[in-house]
Amino acid sequence: MKNTTPSGTGNPIDRVEGHLKVRGMAKYASEFPVSGKVYAQAINSTIAKGEITAIDTSEAEKQEGVIEIITYKNAEKLKRYDEELPSLLPDVIQPVLQSPKVHYYGEYVGLVVAETFEQAQYAARLVRFEYRTEEPRIHLDRQRSDAYKPEESSDYSRGDVAAGMAEADEKVEVTYHTPIEHHHPMELHAIIASWENGEVKAYASQQMIDNAAITIANTFQIPKEKVRVIAPYVGGGFGSKLHAKQHVILAIMAARKIGRPVQLTVTRQQMFTNTNFRQQNEQKMQLGAKKDGTLTALVHETLSHTSTYEEYQESCGTVSKMLYKVPNNKVSHRLVPLNLQTPFAMRAPGEATGSFALESAIDELAWKLKMDPIEFRIKNDTQTDPSNNKPFSSRLLTECLRIGADKFGWERRKMKPGAQQEGNWLIGYGVSGASRAAPYRETSSKVKLELKGGKVYATIQMDATDIGTGSYTIITQTASEYLDIPVDQVSVELGDSLFPVTPGSGGSWGAASYANGARVACMNAIRELNQKLNTDEDLSIQALLEKNELSSYETTGTAKPSEAFKKHSVYSFGANFAEVWVDKDTGMYRIKRMVNVGACGKILNPKTAFGQIIGGLTMGAGMVIAEQSRIEPKYGNFITRSFADYHVPVNLDLANIDVVFLPEEDKIANEMGVKGIGELGITSVAASIANAIFNATGKRMRDLPITPEKLIMAEPEPDAI
Amino acid sequence: MRPFVFTQAQNQEQALAAAAANETAKYLGGGTNLIDLMKEDVERPSELIEVAGLGFQEIKSNQNGGYTLGAMLSNADTANHPDIRRHYPLLSMAMLSAATAQIRNMATNGGNLLQRTRCPYFYETSMPCNKREPGSGCGARNGMNALHAIFGWNEQCVAVNPSDMCVALAAIGAKVQVQRVNGTTRTIDFSDFHRLPGDQPEADNTLQPNELITAIELPKPAFSKHYYYLKIRERSSYAFALISVAAGLQIENGTIVRAGLAMGGVAHKPWKLTRAEEFLTGKLPQTKNFEQAAELAMREARPLEDNEYKVEMGKKAIVRALTQAYEKNA
Ligand SMILES: Cc1cc2nc3c(=O)[nH]c(=O)nc-3n(C[C@H](O)[C@H](O)[C@H](O)COP(=O)(O)OP(=O)(O)OC[C@H]3O[C@@H](n4cnc5c(N)ncnc54)[C@H](O)[C@@H]3O)c2cc1C
Ligand code: SF4
């Protein structure tokens, strides 16, 4: 084994693609200068349920530049779902424009293709649709009697929760609400699609290249080998780009129909209606504990919704199964089919919303027990995953809480709400634990070595994506480390389905999977070059090539989870501390500072890792202060339909953020000890802020987002004043 | 966006003539509101007449001690102008609380006076809205109206005026100068400039067709010492007010001799709190008087289904704004 070079993993090097991005030279999907390309604009339904009864394209057809108008009447026939309510998985088919039926407001009902973007946009406005409208079902609350149990794994229980509750000295029985939220990555969803000799080529903003290729292949019923997906740079996804959505299919369909490359960019408004969202959840919690803080029972029941044509379930209750040692535990999920598009994974699906409910309820119970919420959590900490009795590969939750408390100055917190004041401000401290599975998936990579001017240059290729997270940088650092060459002799090529297959970016597995995939390829190269020489001398990669009399060499490698990995529960853990100042009169509040501590294995690059946590914290702050997509109760459309009314946090909303990573070696997680960071940050923000607001005001805010209007109307808990 | 003709007038006569020649033309200021609405298909002008470059970009002091603000000057340059900061800090504070630095750089004072409501039904052409399409009904009246009016609304329209600048102008008391096609000018008192929905919810103001706004006149400064603009919103910047209060106090020998008070986010026009102003005049700047003024101001509030909170919030906001204004330089 070679020594780590100064530019290897663990060093805070700058992003290797940073200069390209700053100069606008990193190409995103809609920026490729494909010759002969034309522009498409998708048209959305303006009813939430019903059927198209007439379409008039005559006015639109007359417009200058218009090439084609596609509706269900003339659309290519695509593969249909084999079953009713198929699971929306990242590789599921995406039929579109196949029938006159409308399932939700904003569903694509047509597409206009024109020579220019402006022409397509304008003509799209002129296509007239008539509908037979039915009463849409869009109220989770009113439609709750339609709730069904989605699949076996949606329910879980251990012990006897009734007995556990009976045993408890203090109980909490409360319900938490979280609204629909939208992913809204900075880069709009986009594609440039073309057909050549029966093959599809798509520059598309996708997080997972292989899944996108599978979806396209299966929807058009062609072999996957005939689909090329290219996404060297992706401007964020947050889950919304995990799979190829209908606009991808629309553009490819149009390109085939007119025989020219077609560019289709989803508008910001359409990103409310056509690129999925995080669903609304109602989470009913029951917790019981003995006087000494021993948890006796924990029930977490979630009601949420799916669409009327696909099924997606976000497991809010997962966190309640595994985070604390509690003998009696019950978790369930129920879904109501609604006339909305299918919800889909958004940053920390399940954990972000589930942790808000669990970690708020834990705070509520700690208050009833008159126990410090940190001590209460530590009292119920465990090194064994109670949901499956597997040991955790490494779990530093207690350490995160203790070290965070120290950094934050938790000892200054008064248990009694409202005890800290300054002028018109009520000051509160809150804490929340954080947890997020640290998955790791089979990943392949190619390494190409070249000896030039006495130096070895390496190129790593894989179909991985960099969605703004830093994949290019950490893969570069990994290759630099394992080949023992400086980073500037490594180049990394990503986001092309011609490259070896990876799981793509999602689920917090990217860094671990990509780094290990690159590592195995590099180690294979060294081993193979050694074998050729029949030596076990510790030679540099340059010496290996020279002795082999090779000026270049290439090989591949595949990393996979080990047997030990499968025998453990592998998670990242953390804790978030928040100081919140609440105006005593106006309902406005400020997040003054946060301290976030994470134990997430080896930190490949502190800069990119900080970026991930800060991004997660910011998105978490958004969940609490303002993010919500509101549905018009009669028409079923989102009335929040631009960034002017869908509020995400601004710089001023986030004052001081201190991020701490605990050193953690977890070789069970994977050989490099890398665990997920991308989603950990978001999981603990909402509860820590809601708990701080309680500490400031005595008000329990159980309904996100916590807006001034809700805060001003809320009453303090009777026992808190 | 629908196609349109772009006309760059060289002077105000050309602009007025172009407007007179085309019934569906519109003046273009900074475009931060109009262009957005055109993209949404809400505004459909066949012609845009650019007026941002016509001059009218000065800030001048007047003989009566007041000031005149050019209509085409940007919100940023107005709010940051030394004279405005010194003499009308309430206006400056309100303007700087609006939108973002980038938008304030583009937005003109004239355009700000005419910015349209942010009612979501107004923005979505598939929903009914009397303001966008007279006679189609008011979607918000029995729909989602948490952000809507508590004063002066009727069944026709429950929208609110979104401008921060206008709330400060209402508190200060201003006049709007306009040019007409026939070459004459007229001056509109600020309280008459915006209107309540009445039976014409499509009309936000009393401007006549083709009239070009050239300036805003401010009276002799009265609130340069005691002023505060309180804006309650969901995030710290770049959000419209749920409720805002512009408060100015002129205090002599410990007594309030003049009060300027207006609210935003509560009515179809910037809502001047005349009764509270009158009540405060001659009183001591004390919490109990502020509270009574707030009670008086909110007495006639008629909340809608979803905006009960505005009544409570409004009272608290008035008291807070007056307190801050008083303490500012006390
Ligand atoms: C995302 C966003 C957030 C915002 N947040 C806020 C906020 O928090 N608070 C706030 O107060 N505002 C806010 N604004 C609104 C902003 O202040 C207005 O858009 C701006 O003031 C309009 O000025 P403009 O010059 O760009 O007007 P334009 O868009 O050019 O014009 C608006 C209207 O005025 C007419 N017009 C323009 N000039 C004249 C003239 N001289 N004579 C006659 N008619 C004229 C136009 O024909 C048009 O109908 C926000 C805007 C955006 C886009
Ligand atoms: S409140 Fe006014 S703007 Fe809103 S829907 Fe009703 S009529 Fe239209």
Side-chain angles (χ1 to χ4, degrees), chain A residues 551-687:
Chain A
S551 63
S552 66
Y553 185 73
E554 67 176 66
T555 189
T556 58
T558 299
K560 300 183 193 166
S562 65
E563 284 310 306
F565 177 89
K566 292 172 199 158
K567 290 193 185 114
H568 287 79
S569 265
V570 185
Y571 279 81
S572 294
F573 290 93
N576 197 58
F577 294 77
E579 176 177 330
V580 177
W581 289 35
V582 185
D583 188 300
K584 68 181 175 53
D585 296 321
T586 63
M588 282 197 290
Y589 61 95
R590 302 292 304 268
I591 304 167
K592 274 283 163 173
R593 59 190 184 99
M594 294 202 275
V595 172
N596 187 280
V597 186
C600 11
K602 180 181 173 70
I603 301 303
L604 289 166
N605 180 327
K607 271 196 192 177
T608 56
F610 278 121
Q612 285 299 292
I613 294 287
I614 285 171
L617 294 178
T618 307
M619 216 160 174
M623 271 178 83
V624 194
I625 65 171
E627 281 185 55
Q628 61 176 328
S629 297
R630 303 179 356 131
I631 302 162
E632 213 294 329
K634 198 150 135 212
Y635 301 96
N637 58 317
F638 287 111
I639 63 157
T640 38
R641 49 192 295 286
S642 81
F643 279 151
D645 21 50
Y646 184 86
H647 287 165
V648 298
V650 296
N651 274 327
L652 205 53
D653 290 321
L654 295 155
N656 287 306
I657 299 182
D658 201 357
V659 178
V660 180
F661 292 115
L662 299 189
E664 180 181 44
E665 193 176 282
D666 186 345
K667 294 284 162 146
I668 294 165
N670 49 69
E671 285 77 350
M672 291 174 73
V674 181
K675 286 160 107 173
I677 301 182
E679 293 167 299
L680 185 67
I682 193 177
T683 62
S684 51
V685 187

Side-chain angles (χ1 to χ4, degrees), chain A residues 105 125 269 583 632 648 653, chain B residues 39 121 126 235-236 320:
Chain A
Y105 187 104
R125 283 244 150 91
Q269 278 78 5
D583 188 300
E632 213 294 329
V648 298
D653 290 321
Chain B
K39 288 188 195 158
Y121 295 84
S126 70
R235 58 179 173 187
S236 312
R320 172 64 61 80

Side-chain angles (χ1 to χ4, degrees), chain B residues 117 119 121-122 128-131 137-141 148 156-159:
Chain B
T117 185
C119 171
Y121 295 84
F122 175 68
C129 168
N130 284 329
K131 188 179 278 303
C138 170
R141 173 64 188 92
H148 292 71
Q156 298 278 310
C157 180
V158 295

Side-chain angles (χ1 to χ4, degrees), chain A residues 169-198:
Chain A
D169 295 317
E170 289 293 347
K171 292 173 199 169
V172 163
E173 294 182 51
V174 284
T175 301
Y176 298 90
H177 295 271
T178 56
I180 290 179
E181 294 158 3
H182 278 85
H183 308 76
H184 282 308
M186 189 94 87
E187 184 205 10
L188 301 170
H189 286 250
I191 174 171
I192 304 174
S194 49
W195 282 88
E196 221 168 286
N197 310 320

Side-chain angles (χ1 to χ4, degrees), chain A residues 448-517:
Chain A
K448 295 178 172 182
L449 301 170
E450 214 178 330
L451 189 58
K452 242 182 358 202
K455 283 184 185 173
V456 177
Y457 293 86
T459 302
I460 302 284
Q461 290 179 329
M462 50 177 106
D463 80 356
T465 50
D466 189 325
I467 58 173
T469 45
S471 310
Y472 279 108
T473 310
I474 57 157
I475 296 167
T476 303
Q477 286 176 277
T478 304
S480 148
E481 175 170 330
Y482 285 90
L483 296 171
D484 202 14
I485 57 175
V487 276
D488 58 13
Q489 283 161 236
V490 179
S491 40
V492 175
E493 293 172 6
L494 304 180
D496 192 325
S497 54
L498 292 180
F499 300 155
V501 173
T502 74
S505 296
S508 289
W509 56 64
S513 306
Y514 301 160
N516 280 286

Side-chain angles (χ1 to χ4, degrees), chain B residues 26-34 36 72 75 98-99 103 107-108 111-112 114-115 162-164 211-213 231 238-240:
Chain B
K26 280 205 156 253
Y27 296 125
L28 177 69
T32 60
N33 191 220
L34 182 53
D36 272 8
M72 284 55 157
N75 286 179
I103 292 172
T108 62
N112 196 320
L114 298 188
Q115 65 167 298
S163 169
D164 290 301
E211 281 183 334
L212 178 69
I213 301 171
K231 182 170 178 181
Y238 200 23
F240 288 94

